[in-house]
Amino acid sequence: MNRHLPQQHTTTENGLDTAMQPIINSTFVSLDGVINHMDRWHFEYADEESAELALEQLNAADTMLMGRNTYEIYAGAWPDRHDTFADRINTMPKVVASTTLTDPTWENTTVLAGELVPAVRDLKQHNSGPILMNGFGPIAKTLLSEGLLDEIHLWFNPAFAGAGGPGDVLLTPGLNHHLTHTATRTLGSGVVMLSYQAN
């Protein structure tokens, strides 16, 4: 799980070769493709094994990238917790892609300025290490379509959610992107993590 793609490289206008850090997406999903309404399909499968794996992913990253919705959920949950995972996520750099958030209160959080795609490309070029995303909302889908998402880990929980609308599922009309399977990991809870290279 600590294996990441080699740094991508891009050439600047003056001919210099610039390394680009990978963006790794890690998302829980039900068997019917739902990524929200997690109370219906996820929490009973959360256990020590999955927590250790999530911490491993977090520790392998330098920075977290998230949208406004994920930020609001995380900022409302993690600052008051005190364990190994909470200590790591609270202290690490966090970047929020949002046009409406102006004054984040969660420590070590900044708002990504400018248009999403060029701003994320700039982040990949200048960040000091891998970038982790949780959840697969509009930002992750845009980055995938633009070739800026590098790895995807989908944690399939053994349950059907039976709920959700267009904004709650992996499916996005028009988003057609082929991936390369790199690993499968089956947890004791029955959760199966499928890992893919996106670029």
Side-chain angles (χ1 to χ4, degrees):
M1 281 302 304
N2 279 324
R3 183 195 64 78
H4 290 305
L5 298 174
Q7 291 179 341
Q8 297 175 332
H9 292 263
T10 186
T11 303
T12 61
E13 291 182 0
N14 59 10
L16 295 177
D17 187 40
T18 303
M20 295 184 72
Q21 296 295 342
I23 296 180
I24 300 102
N25 182 279
S26 185
T27 296
F28 297 117
V29 59
S30 70
L31 290 181
D32 46 353
V34 176
I35 55 177
N36 295 322
H37 305 284
M38 296 176 72
D39 57 305
R40 299 176 63 94
W41 55 268
H42 168 66
F43 293 111
E44 66 182 277
Y45 301 107
D47 58 12
E48 183 176 346
E49 184 182 21
S50 63
E52 290 177 354
L53 192 52
L55 180 61
E56 182 180 330
Q57 290 183 339
L58 194 68
N59 284 332
D62 173 82
T63 300
M64 287 200 73
L65 173 64
M66 63 193 77
R68 175 72 185 262
N69 184 56
T70 300
Y71 168 79
E72 295 291 354
I73 294 171
Y74 281 15
W78 291 112
D80 293 330
R81 299 187 189 182
H82 301 283
D83 54 40
T84 304
F85 190 96
D87 291 344
R88 172 61 178 154
I89 198 171
N90 284 326
T91 57
M92 72 188 302
K94 295 169 284 288
V95 178
V96 183
S98 173
T99 59
T100 57
L101 181 67
T102 58
D103 188 23
T105 57
W106 194 9
E107 63 177 309
N108 300 316
T109 300
T110 58
V111 178
L112 197 65
E115 295 294 324
L116 176 65
V117 171
V120 170
R121 186 173 288 115
D122 184 71
L123 177 66
K124 285 168 65 74
Q125 289 176 354
H126 295 98
N127 207 61
S128 59
I131 302 159
L132 178 66
M133 292 188 73
N134 289 152
F136 213 85
I139 292 172
K141 293 173 182 179
T142 297
L143 298 184
L144 178 61
S145 68
E146 295 291 335
L148 293 173
L149 198 60
D150 301 283
E151 298 179 27
I152 301 175
H153 303 286
L154 296 175
W155 306 54
F156 279 95
N157 287 229
F160 287 88
D168 297 314
V169 296
L170 287 176
L171 171 67
T172 299
L175 179 56
N176 178 235
H177 195 98
H178 292 242
L179 310 173
T180 300
H181 176 252
T182 57
T184 299
R185 180 164 178 172
T186 302
L187 307 187
S189 63
V191 171
V192 178
M193 180 190 290
L194 300 180
S195 299
Y196 299 94
Q197 176 181 328
N199 288 314

